[in-house]
Amino acid sequence: MIIRSCLLAACLALSIGIGSVQGQQQYTFGKELKRVSQWNSLDFVFSSPAERENALASRRFIPENCIPLDMDVDYNSNPMRSRVFVTVPRFIEGIPATLTTISNQQGAGGPLLEPYPNAAIQSNPEASRCNGIISVFRTMIDDCNRLWLVDTGKIGDRRICLPKIVAFDLRTDQIIHRYEIPAAQLVCDLSLLVSILVDVSDPPPLGSCSKTMIYVADVTGSGLIVYDMSRGKSWRVTNRLMNPNPDYGTFTIANESFDLMDGMLSMALSPKTPSTDFTFNSAYGSSNSFNSALINDRLLFFHALASISESAVRTSVLHNDTMWEEDVGATPRAFRVIGRRTTQSAPEAMDSNGNLYFGLLSQMAIACWDSTTNYNPHNFRIVSQNLETLQFPSGLKVIRNRKGVEELWVLTCRFQKIMTGSLNTNETNFRIQAIQIPELLGGSRSCKARL
């Protein structure tokens, strides 16, 4: 049965209850995340039924090829509405739009996705119109109400255009910033830039939003692109901890296994104003306390997909462009493994209190780690586990709603079924779920593991 999604602003603010899926309570441990949207298969808003039929006939739209990977929520551009963004990367042909919002129209497999900001900027990517958008894996909305993305420039393994960093003003839905990453900062055609993290040093109400640093993960080139927006300049950073680990290149989820040797995928930043007990000793292995006066020096946490290690580096190290231009592998010991999980993880996100949230793929769970403690499973807290609804969290965000309350949003895509060819479009395959963090943590500011 297709359950109609709730996309009213009140629902997005989680101010009304969204019932759990019937019959799945027996799978749940910890808090049950609240359903926002779900799909058996994806479909899109077309200009007319004839246009949809034409897209199917010409194979510009191949429904079974359309896989959602990430989501983000716009609470602030319009006080009368909220929007949920969904990305559909062009892993292969047949994806009519790669950057979308969830519409209020219902299709046979779930709510229809509407191309953002329009269909024209994303249509016919093979035509090499590099001022358009080719393929987007993940997005981030910053404190300045800008939607940031990195366009891979690829369809599958084919390079159509150089990758670029793009920002939309969500109040006008216009592109306000575009930067093409130089070919010299890529590993030939191997590089695939999939994840973006944005750090604004001068946010509103007092700042101008011009002091913005962007971090972009190269999942197949196992590296990091650092971009300084104020200078319009980027550079490449590499370290062995960004590489995949062959011992963890096999993934097993819900009794299905596949192999994938992906490198650096996910990133998160420590809070701008760390708590008094936050030290690099607990999160980074240094005896020096974090100097809260250095508000622009934060920790960048990161991990490869094919790995169980979590690593960290000071952002001040990453900002030394001269050093990295001389040697992309400089200062190798500035990067440190801070601990290990029991299984692989895809995305991660940190809240304002320094709690890091991440998926545990083989356990079909969301875990939380208080970054004032040592990073190890004894200090992890399973905040939600569901063997049905948490199969492969591929998108995970901490988002502040209109009332100032932080929420955890999760998109799951049953990626193991995509990789093994066992996806059944008669079943629910893709889900967006969310919960307010105070509810998730039982009112606590910390997710320290409960003994």
Side-chain angles (χ1 to χ4, degrees), residues 17-28:
I18 309 173
S20 61
V21 180
Q22 294 297 315
Q24 292 178 352
Q25 287 283 44
Q26 69 268 26
Y27 296 111
T28 302

Side-chain angles (χ1 to χ4, degrees), residues 73-88:
V73 185
D74 170 22
Y75 276 123
N76 299 314
S77 64
N78 187 326
M80 302 303 295
R81 63 158 194 201
S82 298
R83 294 184 289 188
V84 178
F85 291 87
V86 175
T87 60
V88 189

